[in-house]
């Protein structure tokens, strides 16, 4: 089990570290995207936000078959509006999206960026390869992670006892204590997040159940799992869209009712949350309806929040259609997906999940460093660094410190690249990989300890300077964001400062004690000599 734990954790450890790191950041996907669009930072919501958004939509898309208006909340500053024009393609392809100023209702033009969605997508399907390949690679790595967690629990018989024991400045013993402590501290999180990650990919990793029951017809399976026959799934969507378009064109125009009384009724029902989304079906017709959805509904299963339905012309309350019954299998699947994505989490719980992800990231990183530290006595006996050990050293630096530098570089590129440059979002992502590749090259060329120090200090400075960069490039400064309650922006800046302090502390500790690396004169290349320790008297050893 010890052998299995060591090698299952090492062989794909660098990829797993990247998956854990980017997945942890994805708990704040919306906040990252908000920060990376400074054109939206001046959007300050007020009492008239909903009315202004509806007035803009009436001018912008009067003939649309539906409007979906996401109001500002704890995770976004501007109004995001989606609408569908008559005859639009079914599904997401037919949606058009605009960003509106919450204080004026004006249409905003944010810069092109993938924002936090790049980090989110990278953590389960990588990049620059077919999505299926990326998901297979991450799925296999996740299986290795699950094996490493279970075998680690079996291997460390005293893991819970040793959780309360930490021996600093003891070399290998300290790294093992740190690895054990971070593993136990969030062990339930590690197991659930890994297992639920596998469940999200199970239709690809283990397709035999669907193949056996549906004879390989996956479209029929997914259609029935959503509650409609497969043959009618596509056609019903097209007929429904065409029917709504026909009614919208043939009906006499009708003015929408005032939104303020409806918002007041919803606020009375949800005093702690208020309204998060407004959905208007068939706007401008006598058949118009207005649906108000609770802000930040904390439901494990998607769509579990409460809704209110009103006649769009008279404002009279209506009974919403009864929700489709969810089977036990669907409920379990939806709950596991909700747990993995943090869909149910309020701000405090989301921060707890984020911290658990940070602990998991530290666990993965400390395990890879421990592999190197455990082999230092062997290298001292040999008097040289084996090529395999040197390879692990280089990959550790690039995968841990280098990934932090690359992530900070991604945020810097978002502000430093010209706003009107072609394929701007792709250029930001390329900047991420260019910086990461340079970190790998730097780790190959510099001595082990110096490479760690330089990259950690670079990450610390790059993260800590992000709030200043935000204020200098058109974003809301940290004090102003806190004053106006824009916590999606302020939270990003505060986390950037915390990451800067964390990386700076790690660099300072490494510089003071040399805990990660070899002695100061350690070899920078494979096969070079390592100074043997000089014998000391018992007094000096003490």
């Amino acid at each position: 089990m010890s052998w299995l734990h060591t090698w299952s954790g090492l062989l794909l450890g660098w990829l797993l570290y990247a998956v854990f790191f980017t997945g942890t950041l994805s708990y704040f996907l919306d906040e990252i995207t908000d920060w990376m669009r400074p054109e939206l930072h001046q959007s300050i919501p007020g009492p008239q936000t909903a009315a202004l958004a509806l007035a803009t939509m009436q001018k912008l898309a009067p003939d649309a078959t539906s409007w979906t208006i996401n109001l500002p909340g704890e995770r976004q500053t501007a109004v995001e509006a989606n609408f569908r024009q008559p005859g639009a393609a079914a599904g997401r392809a037919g949606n058009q999206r605009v960003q509106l100023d919450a204080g004026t209702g004006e249409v905003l033009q944010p810069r092109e960026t993938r924002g936090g969605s790049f980090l989110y997508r990278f953590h389960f399907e990588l990049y620059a390869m077919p999505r299926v390949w990326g998901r297979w690679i991450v799925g296999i790595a996740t299986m290795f992670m699950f094996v490493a967690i279970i075998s680690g629990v079996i291997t460390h018989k005293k893991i819970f006892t040793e959780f309360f024991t930490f021996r600093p400045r003891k070399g290998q013993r300290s790294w093992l204590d740190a690895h054990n402590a971070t593993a136990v501290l969030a062990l339930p999180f590690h197991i659930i997040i890994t297992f639920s990650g596998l469940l999200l990919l199970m239709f690809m990793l283990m397709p035999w159940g669907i193949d056996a029951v549906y004879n390989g017809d996956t479209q029929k399976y997914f259609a029935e799992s959503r509650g409609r026959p497969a043959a009618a799934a596509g056609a019903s969507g097209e007929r429904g869209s065409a029917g709504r378009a026909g009614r919208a064109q043939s009906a006499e125009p009708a003015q929408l009712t005032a939104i303020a009384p409806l918002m007041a009724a919803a606020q009375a029902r949800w005093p702690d949350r208020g309204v998060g989304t407004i959905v208007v079906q068939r706007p401008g017709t006598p058949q118009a309806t207005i649906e108000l959805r609770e802000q930040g509904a904390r439901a494990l299963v998607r769509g579990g929040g409460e809704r209110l339905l009103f006649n769009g012309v008279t404002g009279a309350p209506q009974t919403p259609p009864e929700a489709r019954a969810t089977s036990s299998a669907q409920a379990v699947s939806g709950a596991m997906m909700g747990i993995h994505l943090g869909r149910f989490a309020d701000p405090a719980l989301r921060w707890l999940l984020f911290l658990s992800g940070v602990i998991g990231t530290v666990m993965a990183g400390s395990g890879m460093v421990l592999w190197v530290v455990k082999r230092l006595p062997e290298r001292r006996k040999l008097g040289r660094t084996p090529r395999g050990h040197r390879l692990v050293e280089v990959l550790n630096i690039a995968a841990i410190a280098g990934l932090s530098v690359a992530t900070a570089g991604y945020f810097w590129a978002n502000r430093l690249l010209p706003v009107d440059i072609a394929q701007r979002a792709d250029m930001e992502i390329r900047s991420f990989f260019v910086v990461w590749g340079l970190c790998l090259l730097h780790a190959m060329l510099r001595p082990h300890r110096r490479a760690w120090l330089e990259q950690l200090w670079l990450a610390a400075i790059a993260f800590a300077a992000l709030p200043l960069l935000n204020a200098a490039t058109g974003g809301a400064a940290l004090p102003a964001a806190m004053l106006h309650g824009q916590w999606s922006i302020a939270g990003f800046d505060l986390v950037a400062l915390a990451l800067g302090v964390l990386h700076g502390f790690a660099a300072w500790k490494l510089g003071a004690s040399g805990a990660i690396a070899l002695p100061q004169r350690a070899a920078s290349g494979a096969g070079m000599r390592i100074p043997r320790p000089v014998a000391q008297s018992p007094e000096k050893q003490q």
Side-chain angles (χ1 to χ4, degrees), residues 372 376 379-380 382-387 389-394 397 442-452 516-532:
V372 174
L376 287 181
R379 289 160 59 175
R380 290 194 178 98
L382 290 174
R384 61 183 178 84
T385 301
R387 295 185 182 276
H389 292 193
R390 176 59 183 163
L391 176 63
V392 174
E393 286 181 348
V394 169
I397 297 168
H442 173 266
M444 295 171 62
L445 299 177
R446 296 289 287 164
H448 186 209
R449 177 173 175 171
R450 296 306 308 172
W452 271 112
I516 288 180
L518 301 176
Q520 190 67 24
R521 300 191 180 201
S524 61
M528 297 188 67
R529 294 276 173 188
I530 298 175
R532 295 181 181 274

Side-chain angles (χ1 to χ4, degrees), residues 317-366:
Q318 294 183 347
T319 302
E322 186 175 350
R324 179 173 60 88
T326 302
S327 68
S328 299
Q330 289 172 322
V332 172
S333 175
M336 294 304 294
M337 183 181 297
I339 290 173
H340 189 89
L341 300 177
R343 185 180 293 152
F344 62 98
D346 58 21
L349 186 54
R350 186 172 298 277
W351 277 103
L352 182 59
L353 291 173
F354 175 78
L355 292 176
S356 298
V358 170
I359 293 171
T361 305
V362 173
M363 175 194 68
S366 62

